[in-house]
Amino acid sequence: TLSKRTFRKQWYQRRVRGISNTCNSFTTAYRVSKAALNMLTRCSSVDLIKDNVICVAVHPGWVRTDLGGPNAPLSVEESCRDVVEIIEGAGREHNGMYVRKGLTAEPY
């Protein structure tokens, strides 16, 4: 069975990424901004690779912020270290991807 944390995380990811769900104005604006960011990453990855620019969308993890809440496992500092590690480690093989810690690819 899924732990409560895993279930909540999977539920949240489905709600944020799934475009078939109805939602309130906050989640609508949030989802539209994420969709735009994902498209910008994909388009920029195609346009900029000729200049040796690697573009990735980064999942920062579940972070203790106003949005993430107090039960999130990562501090802002931990998440920032992970993001820097991703940026430093990203190569051509990651171009256009949505990645998380360890350069693990996530579906868009």
Side-chain angles (χ1 to χ4, degrees):
T1 64
L2 294 176
S3 70
K4 185 176 179 180
R5 179 176 160 216
T6 301
F7 176 81
R8 181 177 174 193
K9 183 178 175 185
Q10 289 177 352
W11 177 87
Y12 175 74
Q13 288 172 339
R14 284 192 305 269
R15 295 287 297 171
V16 169
R17 286 195 213 140
I19 61 173
S20 62
N21 297 321
T22 57
C23 48
N24 63 39
S25 60
F26 169 77
T27 57
T28 298
Y30 182 81
R31 287 178 182 193
V32 168
S33 73
K34 295 304 164 200
L37 177 62
N38 292 343
M39 192 62 178
L40 177 64
T41 300
R42 293 297 296 234
C43 292
S44 296
S45 72
V46 172
D47 293 340
L48 298 174
I49 193 66
K50 65 185 175 298
D51 298 320
N52 292 316
V53 175
I54 305 299
C55 299
V56 294
V58 176
H59 186 307
W62 185 17
V63 185
R64 281 187 304 274
T65 62
D66 290 343
L67 181 62
N71 296 324
L74 292 175
S75 69
V76 171
E77 294 78 13
E78 291 168 318
S79 177
C80 287
R81 279 192 296 270
D82 293 345
V83 169
V84 168
E85 184 179 289
I86 290 167
I87 292 167
E88 290 177 341
R92 290 179 78 88
E93 67 274 20
H94 304 104
N95 193 40
M97 292 181 153
Y98 176 44
V99 296
R100 66 170 48 243
K101 184 177 181 171
L103 288 167
T104 304
E106 289 283 318
Y108 271 105

